[in-house]
Amino acid sequence: MQKLFIIPALLAVSMPIYADGFIDDSSVSLTARNFYMNKNFYNNTVNQPSAVSWAQGFIFDAKSGYTAGKIQFGADMIATLGININSDNAGRGMYVVPSDDTRTWGDVALTAKAKVSQTELKVGALNIMNPVFITSPARLLPQLFQGISLSSKDIDNFELSAAYVNKVNHRDSTDWEKISLANTNWRFKQQATTDAVYFAGGYYKFSPQTKAHLFYLNVDNIYDQIEGGLENTYPLTENINLLSDVKYYRSRDIGDANGGNIDNDMYMANFGFQRGAHKLSLGTIINSGETAFPYLYNSEVGVFLDTWPNEFWNAKEHTYSIRYDYDAKAFIPGLRFMTRYTYANNIHTTNNQSLPGGNPYLLGGDDLHESELDFDLMYRVPEGKLKNLGFRIRHAISDNNMTSSAAIKPTRETRVNIDYTWKFK
């Protein structure tokens, strides 16, 4: 199957490229990223030493334009290289460098694409971002999926997409693997793998300020998921906006239910007040049903709460968050700051399905809680010779009252990355 996706990409690359747009509308860039991550398990210093990853990465991204004609063709390529500088205990939830002794790793991925009007077909390596399926960019190298995608903007105010995906190349790996279910803290029967993932859905813009979306995800023989949401920006004055983002996810096991019982309804709402460079947001997430919220292993979830050490997806968990953002463009263009505090309670673990020894109290039982305090400082040089040079430092302090057997432990986590992008075209 993998050869099936590579062949059309090679054909597209070898086709005549003198056609209008193929080169003129192309883009070529190289990003050098130095990434450091430290997880200090401060309540488990004896049994759980700190995990550290420090690595250098390179991401070469080349995208062609399209040939002329009613049916237009193009090709994309992404090549990655990671170099492990210094890492200890990297297998403990880091996903930055390979967990074995590999010092360098990387890959080359190709995508063939065709376009008719505003409808685009892609075959090969895919980069996807929607409420039910995300290609994670949150480490040294990007995650990639392999499959076929179709997107369209031909209908006014609609943005539609669908895809079939069967393999993943993780952020800390060079191998194309089967996609699997995340099974943190033994929530499900097993970390089940699947032969296929499908999704379809889209966005509808009622106005430039209001957007609705509806998506369906099918992880073959594990679970399916329906997501619906509404995002709105309401201007009170020229400088003040009220922001709202509400979503609902319904997840159930399907087919052979290889991951075990999956029964989760997740309701979330985030409301913000933005005045100039300042934004204050209040959010909540309510999990109901018999199980935790399911998601794909080593991936992310398309919700407003993108915390770092914690997940906040446990069974019956209730989460509350307050966040402040500041854009210092009036004083230091390119500088941004964010801080956020998140607290959650009502965590249930006794129904987790694959607890070692079948011990329902291994993680501490029910009515547990967790919290996280985050700081995020970003700066990107906006102009001059160092334009496209970026710095980012993130620090999180997380806590919970689960036992030491839990996979997610009280942690002080620091991430630092320095990026520089050369744009050749």
Side-chain angles (χ1 to χ4, degrees):
M1 181 65 73
Q2 185 172 343
K3 292 180 179 178
L4 178 63
F5 292 130
I6 293 176
I7 289 173
L10 292 175
L11 290 175
V13 171
S14 63
M15 67 187 299
I17 59 174
Y18 51 80
D20 291 343
F22 190 97
I23 293 179
D24 291 345
D25 297 332
S26 65
S27 64
V28 180
S29 66
L30 174 65
T31 297
R33 173 175 297 158
N34 192 274
F35 192 98
Y36 171 83
M37 183 173 174
N38 183 310
K39 293 173 86 70
N40 174 16
F41 304 103
Y42 60 90
N43 280 356
N44 297 273
T45 55
V46 176
N47 297 323
Q48 195 75 214
S50 295
V52 176
S53 284
W54 182 25
Q56 176 66 48
F58 297 93
I59 306 166
F60 180 77
D61 190 5
K63 291 181 171 62
S64 79
Y66 280 96
T67 61
K70 185 174 182 180
I71 303 178
Q72 304 171 333
F73 296 95
D76 299 338
M77 180 184 77
I78 184 168
T80 60
L81 172 65
I83 303 170
N84 187 348
I85 299 173
N86 183 24
S87 299
D88 295 309
N89 304 311
R92 294 193 173 127
M94 304 290 276
Y95 309 115
V96 177
V97 305
S99 56
D100 55 21
D101 294 328
T102 301
R103 305 305 300 178
T104 62
W105 72 102
D107 207 350
V108 177
L110 303 172
T111 307
K113 56 188 182 181
K115 188 176 182 182
V116 177
S117 186
Q118 294 299 308
T119 297
E120 186 176 46
L121 174 70
K122 291 186 177 181
V123 180
L126 302 177
N127 186 357
I128 300 168
M129 188 75 66
N130 63 55
V132 296
F133 200 108
I134 289 181
T135 305
S136 174
R139 293 295 192 276
L140 179 75
L141 301 179
Q143 183 185 49
L144 292 173
F145 288 91
Q146 176 182 275
I148 303 171
S149 72
L150 183 68
S151 62
S152 178
K153 297 180 181 178
D154 276 317
I155 304 175
D156 288 346
N157 300 318
F158 276 100
E159 183 178 341
L160 306 174
S161 62
Y164 157 78
V165 180
N166 73 332
K167 292 288 180 65
V168 61
N169 192 328
H170 287 302
R171 302 168 290 189
D172 55 349
S173 172
T174 60
D175 300 323
W176 288 97
E177 308 169 17
K178 283 190 173 183
I179 299 169
S180 61
L181 171 70
N183 194 26
T184 305
N185 285 337
W186 308 282
R187 292 167 181 164
F188 304 106
K189 179 181 176 181
Q190 60 180 333
Q191 187 178 325
T193 60
T194 183
D195 291 325
V197 177
Y198 310 86
F199 73 79
Y203 301 88
Y204 177 75
K205 284 189 176 181
F206 294 95
S207 70
Q209 293 80 31
T210 305
K211 178 171 66 175
H213 43 85
L214 180 66
F215 281 86
Y216 173 75
L217 174 75
N218 184 306
V219 184
D220 192 40
N221 282 317
I222 301 181
Y223 72 95
D224 69 358
Q225 191 171 85
I226 299 171
E227 182 276 341
L230 181 67
E231 302 171 30
N232 183 67
T233 299
Y234 183 79
L236 288 177
T237 68
E238 184 177 344
N239 200 39
I240 298 177
N241 293 308
L242 296 180
L243 313 171
S244 62
D245 180 2
V246 294
K247 289 186 176 73
Y248 165 71
Y249 288 81
R250 179 188 185 276
S251 306
R252 300 291 187 270
D253 56 87
I254 57 170
D256 294 337
N258 291 332
N261 179 37
I262 295 178
D263 176 60
N264 178 274
D265 292 272
M266 189 162 71
Y267 307 85
M268 63 189 64
N270 189 50
F271 301 100
F273 176 85
Q274 184 174 26
R275 183 179 184 274
H278 306 269
K279 183 169 70 173
L280 181 67
S281 304
L282 299 174
T284 184
I285 299 176
I286 305 298
N287 281 278
S288 66
E290 297 178 9
T291 72
F293 177 82
Y295 64 96
L296 302 179
Y297 171 70
N298 206 350
S299 191
E300 301 181 24
V301 179
V303 301
F304 70 88
L305 190 61
D306 56 339
T307 54
W308 307 320
N310 285 327
E311 294 176 324
F312 298 98
W313 312 135
N314 294 285
K316 304 183 186 301
E317 184 169 13
H318 296 177
T319 303
Y320 311 92
S321 181
I322 181 170
R323 169 172 171 160
Y324 171 72
D325 292 82
Y326 177 67
D327 186 344
K329 60 184 177 181
F331 306 99
I332 307 176
L335 181 67
R336 296 186 178 187
F337 171 76
M338 183 277 291
T339 185
R340 169 180 55 208
Y341 178 73
T342 306
Y343 174 81
N345 59 16
N346 201 48
I347 296 172
H348 283 57
T349 67
T350 55
N351 287 334
N352 289 12
Q353 298 169 51
S354 54
L355 291 165
N359 178 6
Y361 295 97
L362 181 68
L363 303 176
D366 296 333
D367 198 24
L368 304 176
H369 61 80
E370 62 182 339
S371 63
E372 181 171 324
L373 176 63
D374 300 321
F375 301 94
D376 188 351
L377 183 66
M378 299 166 283
Y379 177 69
R380 180 167 291 277
V381 179
E383 57 186 1
K385 293 183 178 180
L386 294 179
K387 184 179 180 180
N388 299 321
L389 175 64
F391 304 87
R392 186 176 187 183
I393 180 168
R394 288 166 282 180
H395 184 70
I397 304 170
S398 72
D399 194 13
N400 65 61
N401 66 340
M402 295 185 188
T403 67
S404 59
S405 299
I408 298 177
K409 305 177 186 300
T411 307
R412 292 189 182 98
E413 179 179 300
T414 301
R415 303 182 189 186
V416 181
N417 61 281
I418 303 172
D419 295 13
Y420 186 78
T421 299
W422 293 268
K423 294 186 178 181
F424 303 108
K425 192 176 184 310

